[in-house]
Amino acid sequence: MKSTWILFLAIAAWHGTLANSYGQGANASVQPEVGQRAIDFELTIVKGEGYLSLSDTYKEGPTVLIFLRGLPVYKCTIDASQVNALVNRAKVLAQSAHRVVLVYPGRAEGLERHAEQFLASRKLPEPLVIVRDDDMNIVNQWGLRWDSPRETAYPATFVLDQYGRIAWKKVSRSHAERSSIEEILKELRKL
């Protein structure tokens, strides 16, 4: 009986270590995998009117979904660099993607103001659009919550087909190592 308890505790400890190594607690959602249908959402468009429905978006054509770090406690310069790269290649992206959705997560209090400051006076060119994830509800549903001090979400990119299936994903476990434009375009061309 004692050896059974020791084995049980060892397995439970291993599972806890595995979950913590991914920054997820026992109640965290599991990330959708390639081949699975994307978890739908409807989020407020930053500096725009209305909401964006993910399912309505991908029905119109291939969609790239990019989770930024948003506003953990400070403005993320790598987020800014990634968005600048997307803006610079927007015309090329528009040839393969119906929409590139940027998710800006953070605590709801003040997030609208911070998201607008992140964009500054810039208007995103088609096919880019940025939406707010107040209180990181979608980040949590997608299993991307970086549950550490001064963090919000793991930077992640998902390429969705017109049926909402995930064709490709890349999730970074650091601030860097994000998807490149070339990687995204290569995966879009496969659809």
Side-chain angles (χ1 to χ4, degrees), residues 17-178:
T17 302
L18 181 63
N20 287 336
S21 71
Y22 287 101
Q24 300 173 350
N27 295 325
S29 297
V30 176
Q31 291 174 15
E33 295 296 330
V34 171
Q36 292 180 332
R37 186 173 301 278
I39 301 166
D40 197 15
F41 60 73
E42 185 174 278
L43 292 175
T44 304
I45 298 170
V46 177
K47 284 190 167 182
E49 292 184 21
Y51 298 87
L52 178 133
S53 161
L54 183 61
S55 59
D56 289 347
T57 301
Y58 64 64
K59 286 176 186 173
E60 297 293 322
T63 300
V64 179
L65 181 61
I66 299 175
F67 286 86
L68 302 170
R69 287 184 59 238
L71 187 73
V73 176
Y74 54 90
K75 180 179 169 185
C76 179
T77 56
I78 300 174
D79 274 358
S81 295
Q82 184 177 23
V83 171
N84 286 338
L86 292 163
V87 167
N88 290 339
R89 302 290 302 275
K91 287 182 182 178
V92 175
L93 285 164
Q95 294 171 5
S96 301
H98 165 68
R99 182 74 65 205
V100 176
V101 180
L102 307 169
V103 179
Y104 192 87
R107 287 187 24 238
E109 183 182 327
L111 188 62
E112 179 178 1
R113 180 174 45 87
H114 291 296
E116 289 178 1
Q117 288 173 347
F118 175 76
L119 284 178
S121 62
R122 175 176 46 202
K123 183 178 184 302
L124 293 178
E126 291 288 331
L128 279 64
V129 63
I130 188 167
V131 294
R132 287 191 339 256
D133 182 10
D134 296 344
D135 287 330
M136 297 170 280
N137 291 318
I138 304 308
V139 162
N140 285 323
Q141 287 178 13
W142 280 67
L144 296 170
R145 179 71 171 99
W146 192 342
D147 198 10
S148 294
R150 300 172 50 101
E151 297 299 345
T152 53
Y154 290 113
T157 302
F158 296 83
V159 173
L160 312 177
D161 68 14
Q162 66 182 15
Y163 305 104
R165 284 190 305 264
I166 298 169
W168 180 79
K169 79 176 201 176
K170 182 173 184 178
V171 179
S172 175
R173 298 290 177 196
S174 71
H175 297 173
E177 299 175 17
R178 300 183 188 209

Side-chain angles (χ1 to χ4, degrees), residues 82 85-87 89 92-93 179-186:
Q82 184 177 23
L86 292 163
V87 167
R89 302 290 302 275
V92 175
L93 285 164
S179 57
S180 69
I181 304 295
E182 289 70 28
E183 287 176 310
I184 294 169
L185 290 169
K186 176 183 173 189

